[in-house]
Amino acid sequence: MMDQKYDYLIVGAGLFGAVCARELTDAGKRCVVIDRRGHIGGNCYSEEIEGIQVHRYGAHIFHTSDAEVWKYVNQFTAFNHFVNSPVANYHGKLYNLPFNMNTFYQIWGVVTPEAAKAKIREQVEKAGITNPRNLEEQAISLVGQDIYEILIKGYTEKQWGRPCRELPAYIIKRLPVRFRFDNNYFNDIYQGIPVNGYTAMIEKILNGVEVKLNLDYLEQKEEFKSISDHVIYTGPIDEYFDYQYGPLEWRGLRFETEILNQENYQGVAAMNYTDAETPYTRMIEHKHFVFDSDPKPKTVITREYPSQWKPGDEPYYPINNQKNQDLLAKYQELAGQEKNIIFGGRLGAYQYYDMDKVIRAALDTAKKLI
Ligand code: UDP
């Protein structure tokens, strides 16, 4: 491979890299994709265990309101009708998510939207919040003190390793609050799981593209640069520049996966443990992402533990505070000075990206190049 001449060397076989490779290849460019992992798919990667597709790097649920992106992915896979409706477990009692009339009924016994709104108003007034300045105040003003205590505080503090009072309000704005009986976690128009798993979908996207695994671009940067006119780099932007200004910070995750000798463990794909004592935030039961006409006799579950991150660990959630934003700006300035290289994807952009946003960004990037 080393003496071949490519138009594009794409570093990273995740969604961003794969979509760029597909578009550029279809436009007649010679592309090669390399990845330091031993598999394609990046963090979307799924593998079969006991006949069940297991999401190795955390649960991925595809959802979008971008009709073009939806049409695009449907070229490579069909999607099932999965709708994310996680259940929260607080000290053994169960509540529906996201926060909706079912949750309000379970917490307060209120049966009308008007009564739920009155309850929340009463609790917001009692807490005396007018202008929410942090996640705690934002959460209380959206759903009241009780829901904050039962469904938000413990989960969020485990997830981020810091008190809610010290976290930015925008984190919680991802979650819908609905005065309807509707347990659909997302507001998007389209939603589902690829019927044969994410790995099969990305394999299809990469169909006919040269892919080399277990190759670390940063270990042989100059050599790799010499075989291609352009590079699309989807690895961590700070690592590319040898962490010269120090590392961008991430929140880590640790997954503990277990095969159980029973058909159905929790009856739902995701159960959130919202108390402070349970050390994990979520329990995923992978088989419930699909609707199998031939139910498997065993089940695979994964506990998700948030963890302190240090350079070298797998990065999951960017810590979007001022310090890291300033650091990112410095790395982006360096990136702007590099010739013939484009930084993209979750790691290259240091962004908490949903999958549809990654595809949108990759399609836009490829369009500009073509
Ligand atoms: N969150 C919460 N309780 C839950 C689920 C989520 O308080 O049961 C909060 C928490 O602060 C989390 C944020 O909502 O960081 C965003 O959650 P989301 O489910 O969007 O995160 P993801 O699934 O992408 O990790």
Side-chain angles (χ1 to χ4, degrees), residues 8-13 16-17 20 32 34 36 215-219 221 224-225 230-243 335 338 340-350 365 369:
Y8 286 93
L9 167 67
I10 297 163
V11 183
F16 191 92
C20 285
V32 60
I34 64 168
R36 64 182 169 193
L215 274 186
D216 192 336
Y217 174 76
L218 296 179
E219 279 174 9
K221 216 166 162 178
F224 279 126
K225 271 186 181 162
H230 305 273
V231 174
I232 295 178
Y233 176 84
T234 71
I237 186 168
D238 52 348
E239 190 181 359
Y240 181 90
F241 293 107
D242 261 337
Y243 302 109
E338 290 279 294
N340 302 325
I341 177 159
I342 288 164
F343 292 81
R346 185 178 65 93
L347 301 170
Y350 187 65
T365 299
L369 296 173

mmCIF file of all heavy atoms in Angstrom, residues 8-13 16-17 20 32 34 36 215-219 221 224-225 230-243 335 338 340-350 365 369:
data_model
loop_
_atom_site.group_PDB
_atom_site.id
_atom_site.type_symbol
_atom_site.label_atom_id
_atom_site.label_comp_id
_atom_site.label_asym_id
_atom_site.label_seq_id
_atom_site.Cartn_x
_atom_site.Cartn_y
_atom_site.Cartn_z
ATOM 1 N N TYR A 8 -7.406 10.486 -1.479
ATOM 2 C CA TYR A 8 -7.779 10.713 -0.078
ATOM 3 C C TYR A 8 -7.377 9.538 0.808
ATOM 4 O O TYR A 8 -7.747 8.397 0.524
ATOM 5 C CB TYR A 8 -9.296 10.922 0.056
ATOM 6 C CG TYR A 8 -9.706 12.290 -0.453
ATOM 7 C CD1 TYR A 8 -10.110 12.457 -1.773
ATOM 8 C CD2 TYR A 8 -9.659 13.401 0.378
ATOM 9 C CE1 TYR A 8 -10.454 13.711 -2.251
ATOM 10 C CE2 TYR A 8 -9.999 14.657 -0.092
ATOM 11 C CZ TYR A 8 -10.396 14.811 -1.397
ATOM 12 O OH TYR A 8 -10.718 16.051 -1.859
ATOM 13 N N LEU A 9 -6.661 9.857 1.843
ATOM 14 C CA LEU A 9 -6.423 8.891 2.914
ATOM 15 C C LEU A 9 -7.372 9.295 4.035
ATOM 16 O O LEU A 9 -7.324 10.438 4.513
ATOM 17 C CB LEU A 9 -4.971 8.970 3.392
ATOM 18 C CG LEU A 9 -4.670 8.247 4.706
ATOM 19 C CD1 LEU A 9 -4.813 6.730 4.544
ATOM 20 C CD2 LEU A 9 -3.265 8.568 5.200
ATOM 21 N N ILE A 10 -8.234 8.371 4.423
ATOM 22 C CA ILE A 10 -9.229 8.683 5.444
ATOM 23 C C ILE A 10 -8.859 7.936 6.719
ATOM 24 O O ILE A 10 -8.772 6.700 6.724
ATOM 25 C CB ILE A 10 -10.644 8.315 4.941
ATOM 26 C CG1 ILE A 10 -10.955 9.207 3.712
ATOM 27 C CG2 ILE A 10 -11.687 8.532 6.029
ATOM 28 C CD1 ILE A 10 -12.087 8.718 2.858
ATOM 29 N N VAL A 11 -8.608 8.682 7.758
ATOM 30 C CA VAL A 11 -8.156 8.094 9.017
ATOM 31 C C VAL A 11 -9.356 7.920 9.930
ATOM 32 O O VAL A 11 -9.913 8.898 10.430
ATOM 33 C CB VAL A 11 -7.090 8.991 9.682
ATOM 34 C CG1 VAL A 11 -6.579 8.332 10.957
ATOM 35 C CG2 VAL A 11 -5.958 9.280 8.713
ATOM 36 N N GLY A 12 -9.755 6.677 10.133
ATOM 37 C CA GLY A 12 -10.907 6.381 10.983
ATOM 38 C C GLY A 12 -12.046 5.803 10.159
ATOM 39 O O GLY A 12 -12.519 6.439 9.224
ATOM 40 N N ALA A 13 -12.471 4.591 10.513
ATOM 41 C CA ALA A 13 -13.529 3.904 9.770
ATOM 42 C C ALA A 13 -14.872 3.995 10.479
ATOM 43 O O ALA A 13 -15.721 3.112 10.386
ATOM 44 C CB ALA A 13 -13.142 2.441 9.539
ATOM 45 N N PHE A 16 -18.233 9.081 10.142
ATOM 46 C CA PHE A 16 -17.754 10.230 9.365
ATOM 47 C C PHE A 16 -16.819 9.759 8.250
ATOM 48 O O PHE A 16 -16.997 10.119 7.088
ATOM 49 C CB PHE A 16 -17.037 11.238 10.277
ATOM 50 C CG PHE A 16 -16.752 12.549 9.599
ATOM 51 C CD1 PHE A 16 -17.647 13.608 9.684
ATOM 52 C CD2 PHE A 16 -15.579 12.736 8.874
ATOM 53 C CE1 PHE A 16 -17.397 14.820 9.047
ATOM 54 C CE2 PHE A 16 -15.315 13.945 8.228
ATOM 55 C CZ PHE A 16 -16.228 14.992 8.322
ATOM 56 N N GLY A 17 -15.857 8.946 8.605
ATOM 57 C CA GLY A 17 -14.893 8.442 7.624
ATOM 58 C C GLY A 17 -15.564 7.614 6.544
ATOM 59 O O GLY A 17 -15.275 7.757 5.348
ATOM 60 N N CYS A 20 -17.656 9.828 4.125
ATOM 61 C CA CYS A 20 -16.744 10.571 3.238
ATOM 62 C C CYS A 20 -16.177 9.633 2.175
ATOM 63 O O CYS A 20 -16.132 9.973 0.986
ATOM 64 C CB CYS A 20 -15.589 11.191 4.027
ATOM 65 S SG CYS A 20 -16.076 12.636 4.971
ATOM 66 N N VAL A 32 -8.508 5.450 0.460
ATOM 67 C CA VAL A 32 -8.206 4.333 1.346
ATOM 68 C C VAL A 32 -8.567 4.775 2.757
ATOM 69 O O VAL A 32 -8.356 5.929 3.126
ATOM 70 C CB VAL A 32 -6.722 3.886 1.241
ATOM 71 C CG1 VAL A 32 -5.749 4.999 1.592
ATOM 72 C CG2 VAL A 32 -6.458 2.652 2.114
ATOM 73 N N ILE A 34 -8.119 3.926 6.812
ATOM 74 C CA ILE A 34 -7.360 3.139 7.791
ATOM 75 C C ILE A 34 -7.942 3.376 9.189
ATOM 76 O O ILE A 34 -8.565 4.408 9.452
ATOM 77 C CB ILE A 34 -5.844 3.477 7.786
ATOM 78 C CG1 ILE A 34 -5.586 4.922 8.215
ATOM 79 C CG2 ILE A 34 -5.230 3.199 6.427
ATOM 80 C CD1 ILE A 34 -4.112 5.205 8.501
ATOM 81 N N ARG A 36 -7.041 2.413 13.515
ATOM 82 C CA ARG A 36 -6.121 1.736 14.437
ATOM 83 C C ARG A 36 -6.791 0.600 15.206
ATOM 84 O O ARG A 36 -6.139 -0.273 15.742
ATOM 85 C CB ARG A 36 -5.436 2.733 15.365
ATOM 86 C CG ARG A 36 -6.320 3.496 16.315
ATOM 87 C CD ARG A 36 -5.438 4.460 17.104
ATOM 88 N NE ARG A 36 -6.192 5.431 17.861
ATOM 89 C CZ ARG A 36 -5.642 6.508 18.424
ATOM 90 N NH1 ARG A 36 -4.361 6.743 18.307
ATOM 91 N NH2 ARG A 36 -6.386 7.341 19.125
ATOM 92 N N LEU A 215 -4.014 -0.091 11.823
ATOM 93 C CA LEU A 215 -2.961 0.810 11.343
ATOM 94 C C LEU A 215 -3.134 2.154 12.030
ATOM 95 O O LEU A 215 -4.184 2.786 11.910
ATOM 96 C CB LEU A 215 -3.075 1.024 9.835
ATOM 97 C CG LEU A 215 -2.412 0.024 8.893
ATOM 98 C CD1 LEU A 215 -2.523 0.519 7.461
ATOM 99 C CD2 LEU A 215 -0.948 -0.201 9.261
ATOM 100 N N ASP A 216 -2.094 2.586 12.742
ATOM 101 C CA ASP A 216 -2.170 3.852 13.473
ATOM 102 C C ASP A 216 -1.497 4.963 12.673
ATOM 103 O O ASP A 216 -0.279 4.983 12.526
ATOM 104 C CB ASP A 216 -1.501 3.694 14.853
ATOM 105 C CG ASP A 216 -1.809 4.869 15.768
ATOM 106 O OD1 ASP A 216 -2.125 5.964 15.248
ATOM 107 O OD2 ASP A 216 -1.736 4.692 16.998
ATOM 108 N N TYR A 217 -2.313 5.861 12.176
ATOM 109 C CA TYR A 217 -1.825 6.963 11.343
ATOM 110 C C TYR A 217 -0.732 7.769 12.061
ATOM 111 O O TYR A 217 0.287 8.101 11.474
ATOM 112 C CB TYR A 217 -3.000 7.876 11.004
ATOM 113 C CG TYR A 217 -2.630 9.133 10.259
ATOM 114 C CD1 TYR A 217 -2.320 9.091 8.902
ATOM 115 C CD2 TYR A 217 -2.592 10.369 10.908
ATOM 116 C CE1 TYR A 217 -1.985 10.247 8.219
ATOM 117 C CE2 TYR A 217 -2.255 11.530 10.226
ATOM 118 C CZ TYR A 217 -1.948 11.460 8.876
ATOM 119 O OH TYR A 217 -1.613 12.594 8.202
ATOM 120 N N LEU A 218 -0.964 8.053 13.339
ATOM 121 C CA LEU A 218 -0.044 8.948 14.043
ATOM 122 C C LEU A 218 1.335 8.328 14.248
ATOM 123 O O LEU A 218 2.310 9.039 14.450
ATOM 124 C CB LEU A 218 -0.650 9.390 15.386
ATOM 125 C CG LEU A 218 -1.926 10.226 15.241
ATOM 126 C CD1 LEU A 218 -2.483 10.599 16.603
ATOM 127 C CD2 LEU A 218 -1.695 11.476 14.402
ATOM 128 N N GLU A 219 1.398 6.998 14.175
ATOM 129 C CA GLU A 219 2.709 6.351 14.328
ATOM 130 C C GLU A 219 3.573 6.487 13.078
ATOM 131 O O GLU A 219 4.788 6.359 13.150
ATOM 132 C CB GLU A 219 2.529 4.861 14.677
ATOM 133 C CG GLU A 219 2.254 4.666 16.157
ATOM 134 C CD GLU A 219 1.929 3.224 16.504
ATOM 135 O OE1 GLU A 219 2.073 2.338 15.628
ATOM 136 O OE2 GLU A 219 1.519 2.998 17.657
ATOM 137 N N LYS A 221 2.942 9.066 10.481
ATOM 138 C CA LYS A 221 2.299 10.221 9.849
ATOM 139 C C LYS A 221 2.947 10.613 8.510
ATOM 140 O O LYS A 221 2.250 10.746 7.496
ATOM 141 C CB LYS A 221 2.451 11.392 10.824
ATOM 142 C CG LYS A 221 1.305 12.340 10.891
ATOM 143 C CD LYS A 221 1.556 13.179 12.157
ATOM 144 C CE LYS A 221 0.827 14.437 12.277
ATOM 145 N NZ LYS A 221 1.110 15.133 13.538
ATOM 146 N N PHE A 224 2.446 8.067 5.731
ATOM 147 C CA PHE A 224 1.070 8.062 5.242
ATOM 148 C C PHE A 224 0.782 9.291 4.394
ATOM 149 O O PHE A 224 0.096 9.217 3.385
ATOM 150 C CB PHE A 224 0.081 7.992 6.412
ATOM 151 C CG PHE A 224 -0.116 6.605 6.937
ATOM 152 C CD1 PHE A 224 0.066 6.315 8.279
ATOM 153 C CD2 PHE A 224 -0.502 5.574 6.075
ATOM 154 C CE1 PHE A 224 -0.115 5.027 8.761
ATOM 155 C CE2 PHE A 224 -0.693 4.284 6.553
ATOM 156 C CZ PHE A 224 -0.495 4.009 7.903
ATOM 157 N N LYS A 225 1.299 10.434 4.817
ATOM 158 C CA LYS A 225 1.056 11.672 4.059
ATOM 159 C C LYS A 225 1.591 11.550 2.640
ATOM 160 O O LYS A 225 1.013 12.092 1.700
ATOM 161 C CB LYS A 225 1.719 12.860 4.759
ATOM 162 C CG LYS A 225 0.811 13.514 5.777
ATOM 163 C CD LYS A 225 1.461 14.788 6.333
ATOM 164 C CE LYS A 225 0.567 15.427 7.359
ATOM 165 N NZ LYS A 225 1.285 16.379 8.201
ATOM 166 N N HIS A 230 -4.541 14.094 -0.095
ATOM 167 C CA HIS A 230 -5.307 14.729 0.987
ATOM 168 C C HIS A 230 -5.535 13.719 2.112
ATOM 169 O O HIS A 230 -5.587 12.519 1.856
ATOM 170 C CB HIS A 230 -6.685 15.173 0.497
ATOM 171 C CG HIS A 230 -6.626 16.060 -0.695
ATOM 172 N ND1 HIS A 230 -6.487 17.427 -0.612
ATOM 173 C CD2 HIS A 230 -6.679 15.766 -2.015
ATOM 174 C CE1 HIS A 230 -6.452 17.936 -1.823
ATOM 175 N NE2 HIS A 230 -6.561 16.954 -2.699
ATOM 176 N N VAL A 231 -5.718 14.253 3.306
ATOM 177 C CA VAL A 231 -6.033 13.400 4.451
ATOM 178 C C VAL A 231 -7.329 13.898 5.087
ATOM 179 O O VAL A 231 -7.523 15.109 5.250
ATOM 180 C CB VAL A 231 -4.885 13.432 5.496
ATOM 181 C CG1 VAL A 231 -5.278 12.669 6.758
ATOM 182 C CG2 VAL A 231 -3.596 12.859 4.909
ATOM 183 N N ILE A 232 -8.213 12.960 5.419
ATOM 184 C CA ILE A 232 -9.374 13.291 6.252
ATOM 185 C C ILE A 232 -9.134 12.569 7.569
ATOM 186 O O ILE A 232 -9.049 11.337 7.603
ATOM 187 C CB ILE A 232 -10.696 12.842 5.595
ATOM 188 C CG1 ILE A 232 -10.906 13.649 4.300
ATOM 189 C CG2 ILE A 232 -11.870 13.042 6.553
ATOM 190 C CD1 ILE A 232 -12.158 13.266 3.524
ATOM 191 N N TYR A 233 -8.973 13.345 8.626
ATOM 192 C CA TYR A 233 -8.554 12.780 9.909
ATOM 193 C C TYR A 233 -9.714 12.854 10.903
ATOM 194 O O TYR A 233 -10.210 13.941 11.196
ATOM 195 C CB TYR A 233 -7.340 13.567 10.426
ATOM 196 C CG TYR A 233 -6.871 13.154 11.794
ATOM 197 C CD1 TYR A 233 -6.012 12.071 11.971
ATOM 198 C CD2 TYR A 233 -7.293 13.846 12.928
ATOM 199 C CE1 TYR A 233 -5.590 11.688 13.232
ATOM 200 C CE2 TYR A 233 -6.871 13.472 14.201
ATOM 201 C CZ TYR A 233 -6.028 12.391 14.338
ATOM 202 O OH TYR A 233 -5.610 12.020 15.590
ATOM 203 N N THR A 234 -10.144 11.687 11.418
ATOM 204 C CA THR A 234 -11.287 11.680 12.343
ATOM 205 C C THR A 234 -10.883 11.238 13.752
ATOM 206 O O THR A 234 -11.733 10.917 14.570
ATOM 207 C CB THR A 234 -12.442 10.778 11.818
ATOM 208 O OG1 THR A 234 -12.038 9.404 11.935
ATOM 209 C CG2 THR A 234 -12.785 11.074 10.372
ATOM 210 N N GLY A 235 -9.586 11.231 14.015
ATOM 211 C CA GLY A 235 -9.121 10.912 15.364
ATOM 212 C C GLY A 235 -9.130 12.168 16.227
ATOM 213 O O GLY A 235 -9.524 13.246 15.771
ATOM 214 N N PRO A 236 -8.678 12.059 17.493
ATOM 215 C CA PRO A 236 -8.679 13.219 18.390
ATOM 216 C C PRO A 236 -7.746 14.330 17.883
ATOM 217 O O PRO A 236 -6.576 14.077 17.594
ATOM 218 C CB PRO A 236 -8.160 12.652 19.717
ATOM 219 C CG PRO A 236 -8.352 11.184 19.621
ATOM 220 C CD PRO A 236 -8.222 10.839 18.172
ATOM 221 N N ILE A 237 -8.278 15.534 17.803
ATOM 222 C CA ILE A 237 -7.534 16.659 17.251
ATOM 223 C C ILE A 237 -6.303 16.990 18.120
ATOM 224 O O ILE A 237 -5.237 17.325 17.596
ATOM 225 C CB ILE A 237 -8.467 17.891 17.058
ATOM 226 C CG1 ILE A 237 -7.739 19.024 16.339
ATOM 227 C CG2 ILE A 237 -9.077 18.378 18.362
ATOM 228 C CD1 ILE A 237 -8.654 20.153 15.859
ATOM 229 N N ASP A 238 -6.428 16.874 19.440
ATOM 230 C CA ASP A 238 -5.295 17.218 20.324
ATOM 231 C C ASP A 238 -4.169 16.177 20.192
ATOM 232 O O ASP A 238 -2.985 16.508 20.212
ATOM 233 C CB ASP A 238 -5.747 17.370 21.780
ATOM 234 C CG ASP A 238 -6.545 16.182 22.289
ATOM 235 O OD1 ASP A 238 -6.955 15.316 21.465
ATOM 236 O OD2 ASP A 238 -6.774 16.099 23.507
ATOM 237 N N GLU A 239 -4.560 14.914 20.013
ATOM 238 C CA GLU A 239 -3.555 13.865 19.859
ATOM 239 C C GLU A 239 -2.770 14.073 18.561
ATOM 240 O O GLU A 239 -1.558 13.830 18.503
ATOM 241 C CB GLU A 239 -4.230 12.483 19.868
ATOM 242 C CG GLU A 239 -3.225 11.342 19.968
ATOM 243 C CD GLU A 239 -3.889 9.963 19.948
ATOM 244 O OE1 GLU A 239 -5.119 9.869 19.870
ATOM 245 O OE2 GLU A 239 -3.133 8.968 20.001
ATOM 246 N N TYR A 240 -3.455 14.541 17.518
ATOM 247 C CA TYR A 240 -2.797 14.804 16.239
ATOM 248 C C TYR A 240 -1.639 15.773 16.442
ATOM 249 O O TYR A 240 -0.586 15.659 15.827
ATOM 250 C CB TYR A 240 -3.809 15.374 15.239
ATOM 251 C CG TYR A 240 -3.201 15.659 13.884
ATOM 252 C CD1 TYR A 240 -3.185 14.682 12.892
ATOM 253 C CD2 TYR A 240 -2.616 16.896 13.606
ATOM 254 C CE1 TYR A 240 -2.605 14.927 11.663
ATOM 255 C CE2 TYR A 240 -2.036 17.146 12.376
ATOM 256 C CZ TYR A 240 -2.027 16.157 11.398
ATOM 257 O OH TYR A 240 -1.444 16.401 10.189
ATOM 258 N N PHE A 241 -1.867 16.759 17.312
ATOM 259 C CA PHE A 241 -0.833 17.771 17.556
ATOM 260 C C PHE A 241 -0.020 17.448 18.810
ATOM 261 O O PHE A 241 0.459 18.361 19.493
ATOM 262 C CB PHE A 241 -1.473 19.158 17.663
ATOM 263 C CG PHE A 241 -2.067 19.627 16.356
ATOM 264 C CD1 PHE A 241 -3.439 19.671 16.178
ATOM 265 C CD2 PHE A 241 -1.245 19.984 15.289
ATOM 266 C CE1 PHE A 241 -3.989 20.077 14.961
ATOM 267 C CE2 PHE A 241 -1.788 20.392 14.071
ATOM 268 C CZ PHE A 241 -3.158 20.437 13.913
ATOM 269 N N ASP A 242 0.078 16.154 19.114
ATOM 270 C CA ASP A 242 0.909 15.703 20.234
ATOM 271 C C ASP A 242 0.550 16.330 21.571
ATOM 272 O O ASP A 242 1.433 16.512 22.428
ATOM 273 C CB ASP A 242 2.384 16.032 19.942
ATOM 274 C CG ASP A 242 3.094 14.809 19.427
ATOM 275 O OD1 ASP A 242 2.608 13.699 19.720
ATOM 276 O OD2 ASP A 242 4.118 14.981 18.733
ATOM 277 N N TYR A 243 -0.679 16.687 21.751
ATOM 278 C CA TYR A 243 -1.163 17.293 23.012
ATOM 279 C C TYR A 243 -0.327 18.507 23.398
ATOM 280 O O TYR A 243 -0.089 18.740 24.576
ATOM 281 C CB TYR A 243 -1.143 16.289 24.161
ATOM 282 C CG TYR A 243 -1.962 15.027 23.939
ATOM 283 C CD1 TYR A 243 -1.333 13.806 23.721
ATOM 284 C CD2 TYR A 243 -3.352 15.062 23.961
ATOM 285 C CE1 TYR A 243 -2.078 12.644 23.530
ATOM 286 C CE2 TYR A 243 -4.105 13.909 23.777
ATOM 287 C CZ TYR A 243 -3.455 12.707 23.561
ATOM 288 O OH TYR A 243 -4.184 11.563 23.384
ATOM 289 N N ALA A 335 -4.885 23.466 13.308
ATOM 290 C CA ALA A 335 -5.468 22.653 12.235
ATOM 291 C C ALA A 335 -5.623 23.490 10.965
ATOM 292 O O ALA A 335 -5.383 23.001 9.856
ATOM 293 C CB ALA A 335 -6.817 22.082 12.670
ATOM 294 N N GLU A 338 -2.511 23.603 8.858
ATOM 295 C CA GLU A 338 -2.056 22.369 8.190
ATOM 296 C C GLU A 338 -2.540 22.351 6.744
ATOM 297 O O GLU A 338 -3.656 22.785 6.455
ATOM 298 C CB GLU A 338 -2.627 21.134 8.896
ATOM 299 C CG GLU A 338 -2.052 20.871 10.260
ATOM 300 C CD GLU A 338 -0.719 20.162 10.210
ATOM 301 O OE1 GLU A 338 -0.672 19.000 9.782
ATOM 302 O OE2 GLU A 338 0.282 20.792 10.616
ATOM 303 N N ASN A 340 -3.770 20.435 3.272
ATOM 304 C CA ASN A 340 -4.358 19.217 2.711
ATOM 305 C C ASN A 340 -4.868 18.225 3.753
ATOM 306 O O ASN A 340 -4.781 17.017 3.574
ATOM 307 C CB ASN A 340 -3.351 18.501 1.802
ATOM 308 C CG ASN A 340 -2.892 19.401 0.681
ATOM 309 O OD1 ASN A 340 -3.676 20.202 0.176
ATOM 310 N ND2 ASN A 340 -1.622 19.292 0.321
ATOM 311 N N ILE A 341 -5.346 18.749 4.863
ATOM 312 C CA ILE A 341 -5.929 17.839 5.850
ATOM 313 C C ILE A 341 -7.214 18.452 6.393
ATOM 314 O O ILE A 341 -7.290 19.658 6.625
ATOM 315 C CB ILE A 341 -4.931 17.489 6.983
ATOM 316 C CG1 ILE A 341 -5.592 16.590 8.038
ATOM 317 C CG2 ILE A 341 -4.330 18.715 7.641
ATOM 318 C CD1 ILE A 341 -4.633 15.807 8.881
ATOM 319 N N ILE A 342 -8.200 17.579 6.556
ATOM 320 C CA ILE A 342 -9.490 18.010 7.093
ATOM 321 C C ILE A 342 -9.741 17.229 8.372
ATOM 322 O O ILE A 342 -9.523 16.017 8.410
ATOM 323 C CB ILE A 342 -10.597 17.715 6.060
ATOM 324 C CG1 ILE A 342 -10.465 18.695 4.898
ATOM 325 C CG2 ILE A 342 -11.981 17.824 6.685
ATOM 326 C CD1 ILE A 342 -11.239 18.253 3.690
ATOM 327 N N PHE A 343 -10.174 17.931 9.407
ATOM 328 C CA PHE A 343 -10.495 17.281 10.679
ATOM 329 C C PHE A 343 -12.009 17.134 10.770
ATOM 330 O O PHE A 343 -12.736 18.084 10.501
ATOM 331 C CB PHE A 343 -9.974 18.131 11.839
ATOM 332 C CG PHE A 343 -8.477 18.178 11.907
ATOM 333 C CD1 PHE A 343 -7.752 19.036 11.082
ATOM 334 C CD2 PHE A 343 -7.785 17.332 12.760
ATOM 335 C CE1 PHE A 343 -6.367 19.061 11.122
ATOM 336 C CE2 PHE A 343 -6.396 17.347 12.805
ATOM 337 C CZ PHE A 343 -5.687 18.216 11.988
ATOM 338 N N GLY A 344 -12.471 15.944 11.139
ATOM 339 C CA GLY A 344 -13.924 15.757 11.210
ATOM 340 C C GLY A 344 -14.321 14.669 12.172
ATOM 341 O O GLY A 344 -13.471 13.979 12.748
ATOM 342 N N GLY A 345 -15.635 14.507 12.340
ATOM 343 C CA GLY A 345 -16.166 13.482 13.241
ATOM 344 C C GLY A 345 -16.149 13.970 14.681
ATOM 345 O O GLY A 345 -15.683 15.058 14.994
ATOM 346 N N ARG A 346 -16.648 13.098 15.548
ATOM 347 C CA ARG A 346 -16.790 13.406 16.975
ATOM 348 C C ARG A 346 -15.452 13.756 17.621
ATOM 349 O O ARG A 346 -15.338 14.732 18.364
ATOM 350 C CB ARG A 346 -17.371 12.141 17.622
ATOM 351 C CG ARG A 346 -17.729 12.182 19.059
ATOM 352 C CD ARG A 346 -18.313 10.822 19.439
ATOM 353 N NE ARG A 346 -17.322 9.754 19.326
ATOM 354 C CZ ARG A 346 -16.557 9.324 20.321
ATOM 355 N NH1 ARG A 346 -16.669 9.853 21.522
ATOM 356 N NH2 ARG A 346 -15.677 8.362 20.128
ATOM 357 N N LEU A 347 -14.411 13.001 17.296
ATOM 358 C CA LEU A 347 -13.112 13.203 17.943
ATOM 359 C C LEU A 347 -12.339 14.357 17.303
ATOM 360 O O LEU A 347 -11.667 15.121 17.980
ATOM 361 C CB LEU A 347 -12.271 11.923 17.859
ATOM 362 C CG LEU A 347 -12.896 10.690 18.505
ATOM 363 C CD1 LEU A 347 -12.107 9.438 18.146
ATOM 364 C CD2 LEU A 347 -12.948 10.849 20.016
ATOM 365 N N GLY A 348 -12.455 14.460 15.987
ATOM 366 C CA GLY A 348 -11.753 15.524 15.270
ATOM 367 C C GLY A 348 -12.353 16.892 15.546
ATOM 368 O O GLY A 348 -11.658 17.908 15.501
ATOM 369 N N ALA A 349 -13.665 16.902 15.831
ATOM 370 C CA ALA A 349 -14.344 18.177 16.079
ATOM 371 C C ALA A 349 -14.554 18.431 17.573
ATOM 372 O O ALA A 349 -15.023 19.497 17.954
ATOM 373 C CB ALA A 349 -15.686 18.204 15.356
ATOM 374 N N TYR A 350 -14.232 17.439 18.433
ATOM 375 C CA TYR A 350 -14.462 17.522 19.882
ATOM 376 C C TYR A 350 -15.907 17.967 20.142
ATOM 377 O O TYR A 350 -16.179 19.004 20.720
ATOM 378 C CB TYR A 350 -13.464 18.491 20.541
ATOM 379 C CG TYR A 350 -13.516 18.502 22.069
ATOM 380 C CD1 TYR A 350 -13.162 17.391 22.814
ATOM 381 C CD2 TYR A 350 -13.906 19.649 22.766
ATOM 382 C CE1 TYR A 350 -13.208 17.401 24.194
ATOM 383 C CE2 TYR A 350 -13.952 19.678 24.153
ATOM 384 C CZ TYR A 350 -13.601 18.544 24.846
ATOM 385 O OH TYR A 350 -13.645 18.568 26.231
ATOM 386 N N THR A 365 -19.088 17.918 4.051
ATOM 387 C CA THR A 365 -17.638 17.961 3.812
ATOM 388 C C THR A 365 -17.318 17.386 2.433
ATOM 389 O O THR A 365 -16.586 17.990 1.644
ATOM 390 C CB THR A 365 -16.896 17.138 4.894
ATOM 391 O OG1 THR A 365 -17.174 17.729 6.166
ATOM 392 C CG2 THR A 365 -15.389 17.131 4.678
ATOM 393 N N LEU A 369 -15.682 19.039 -1.164
ATOM 394 C CA LEU A 369 -14.452 18.519 -1.785
ATOM 395 C C LEU A 369 -14.684 18.125 -3.246
ATOM 396 O O LEU A 369 -13.788 18.206 -4.057
ATOM 397 C CB LEU A 369 -13.943 17.302 -0.997
ATOM 398 C CG LEU A 369 -13.512 17.612 0.446
ATOM 399 C CD1 LEU A 369 -13.205 16.325 1.184
ATOM 400 C CD2 LEU A 369 -12.294 18.539 0.456
#
